[in-house]
Amino acid sequence: MRKKVLSVILAACMVGGMLAGCGGNSQSTKENGSDANEKVTLRFSWWGGDERNEATLKVIDNFEKEHPNITIEPEYSGDDGYLEKLSTALAGNQAADIIQNGPGWMPSFVEKGDFFIDFNDYKDKIDMSGFSEDYLKNTCTFDDKLLGLPTGIGATTLLVNKTLADEIGLDFSKTVTWEGLLEMGKEVQAYNSDMYLMNIDTSFMLTNVLRPYVMQLTGKPIVDDDTKALSCTDKQMTQALTYIEDLYDTKTVQAASETASFNGSPQTNPKWINGQVVCTMTNSSQINNLTSANENAEYIVVNMPVMGDSSVQKNDGYYANPPQLMCINKNSKYIDEALEFLDYFYNNDQSAETLKDLRGVPVTENARNICEEKGLISELTVDSVNMALEKNGVNEMGLTTDSEVESALNTMIEEVSYGQSTPDQASKEGIDMINNVLAEKQ
């Protein structure tokens, strides 16, 4: 069964042909590479949970054993504050050589500077034959430059503690709607007022609630890249913010003040760990972290919520996307060595077995085959990606994920979540902020 499910993913990702593993014009010279025996130190920055960190460190250790002249200095942390640190480091020319990046951050970086190499220029240094050309073009290419490589195939999913859901009497076998989540939230509170339906904090309200909710209403990302204008009306934004307010008012989710201490790390929420929360909206790459946090429960994944009235919904609001990108600092002194490491990271059999699905379903054909044969890909992860590949949401990576636009959207969410503003007020003020940002980009 797993083989059949995974074959759907492979077929969808391989459509459009494969990249050739050779060709192109490398810029390889001594100024961006080393002499054969020269000792080289590369810095590699990423974010992740404990399991991802340990696996990545093991790949680094294995690489160093095979390449004794190259040392990789790991720089890892949680995702909270990572963007700010990376932005500062890039602006000050202090960033690492190899950088795990967020797909949504890339448009802003591209606008602000020329920070990353174009992998198209180095096809003779790294084998990209296992990547889907269409997937690279749709998710990692900016201004016709391949500025990063996807770490995997990811999807937003609703991860359900089935043990607790069954205990309360919640039915997730039917289509989940936004309105239905509120009703479930009330049922959970009636069952036990110390429990909540969803484990979500303000940082995930933007990516998992506000943006897809608005996209379902409009059929477009919040900002239209072609017109550089908002695609939604004040009324539609207010509707989305009102829904977020309802999530808190009905206690479908914990109070924002209570979740602030583990913002961006829902697997560390004590209520999730103790089996007091029914479900969480998460990326497929984080499923293992969340299930490992409470191993005393049975889990399932189900489709993300849709509008109760299907006539007002323009598209699904969700789509398959890379959880992260791997980039190489254009100012690195050792670009060739950084490419050599990423080639090992993506194409070495042992690396594939070590990294398994910790950054999503593996993106290269060889890695997927290895993980499938060894049973290393979580069935929950496969199921979540399989469902997402059927969704028709549109790629938001552009002005919608611009750092200044996201800051305005997050401000709206936080003001409503903390009860500092009404949805109507937050919408008006936030839209004014976004329009000012967009006016400067015209």
Side-chain angles (χ1 to χ4, degrees), residues 164-412:
L164 182 57
D166 289 347
E167 177 185 320
I168 298 173
L170 302 177
D171 183 7
F172 281 91
S173 65
K174 301 176 182 178
T175 299
V176 177
T177 66
W178 296 108
E179 299 84 353
L181 288 177
L182 295 175
E183 293 306 312
M184 285 186 182
K186 294 174 184 177
E187 289 183 55
V188 173
Q189 282 290 296
Y191 178 81
N192 187 328
S193 60
D194 289 329
M195 292 183 174
Y196 296 89
L197 177 71
M198 282 203 298
N199 176 22
I200 188 169
D201 53 59
T202 56
S203 67
F204 287 108
M205 280 291 178
L206 173 59
T207 56
N208 297 347
V209 178
L210 183 68
R211 291 203 321 229
Y213 193 103
V214 172
M215 186 185 290
Q216 288 178 3
L217 291 175
T218 66
K220 300 178 180 180
I222 288 177
V223 180
D224 187 317
D225 284 357
D226 293 331
T227 62
K228 294 186 178 180
L230 283 165
S231 63
C232 65
T233 63
D234 175 42
K235 182 179 179 180
Q236 289 169 325
M237 183 65 77
T238 299
Q239 182 180 339
L241 290 171
T242 299
Y243 181 78
I244 290 175
E245 181 181 57
D246 289 343
L247 287 174
Y248 286 101
D249 286 350
T250 59
K251 295 187 177 181
T252 299
V253 301
Q254 271 180 275
S257 58
E258 294 179 17
T259 61
S261 60
F262 44 84
N263 221 30
S265 301
Q267 72 275 9
T268 64
N269 182 346
K271 286 192 176 293
W272 177 261
I273 295 170
N274 295 327
Q276 295 176 289
V277 184
V278 176
C279 63
T280 184
M281 294 175 172
T282 187
N283 192 286
S284 54
S285 65
Q286 294 300 311
I287 288 176
N288 286 345
N289 282 337
L290 286 155
T291 56
S292 296
N294 176 11
E295 297 179 340
N296 297 319
E298 177 187 357
Y299 296 94
I300 58 171
V301 290
V302 299
N303 278 309
M304 292 291 283
V306 296
M307 295 289 172
D309 180 0
S310 60
S311 67
V312 303
Q313 184 167 313
K314 300 298 190 295
N315 69 23
D316 295 322
Y318 300 94
Y319 56 97
N321 64 304
Q324 306 92 21
L325 302 180
M326 286 297 176
C327 304
I328 293 179
N329 189 337
K330 194 169 185 178
N331 290 325
S332 172
K333 294 180 180 178
Y334 304 113
I335 290 176
D336 288 351
E337 286 75 16
L339 287 161
E340 191 171 5
F341 173 73
L342 285 185
D343 187 69
Y344 186 90
F345 182 92
Y346 282 107
N347 297 314
N348 179 269
D349 290 357
Q350 189 174 10
S351 295
E353 189 173 340
T354 301
L355 295 169
K356 46 186 182 179
D357 60 355
L358 294 174
R359 286 181 170 88
V361 170
V363 72
T364 66
E365 182 180 18
N366 181 60
R368 287 194 295 268
N369 289 338
I370 289 172
C371 290
E372 179 190 7
E373 291 169 2
K374 295 183 177 293
L376 297 174
I377 301 179
S378 159
E379 188 170 351
L380 291 171
T381 301
V382 171
D383 288 346
S384 68
V385 172
N386 191 32
M387 288 187 290
L389 286 169
E390 298 176 356
K391 301 304 176 186
N392 64 359
V394 294
N395 194 324
E396 301 172 291
M397 302 303 115
L399 289 173
T400 298
T401 58
D402 174 85
S403 59
E404 292 178 286
V405 172
E406 283 204 335
S407 177
L409 293 170
N410 277 318
T411 296
M412 293 188 213

Side-chain angles (χ1 to χ4, degrees), residues 228-230 430-440 442:
K228 294 186 178 180
L230 283 165
I431 285 176
D432 284 343
M433 291 171 62
I434 293 173
N435 284 334
N436 289 335
V437 170
L438 296 176
E440 296 177 358
Q442 296 291 340

Side-chain angles (χ1 to χ4, degrees), residues 20-27 119-125 128:
C22 57
N25 296 316
S26 171
Q27 299 176 3
F119 283 90
N120 288 323
D121 294 334
Y122 298 91
K123 290 180 182 177
D124 61 339
K125 295 292 183 180
M128 294 189 287

Side-chain angles (χ1 to χ4, degrees), residues 109-120:
F109 285 138
V110 170
E111 181 184 12
K112 293 176 181 177
D114 187 16
F115 298 119
F116 312 111
I117 70 164
D118 179 358
F119 283 90
N120 288 323

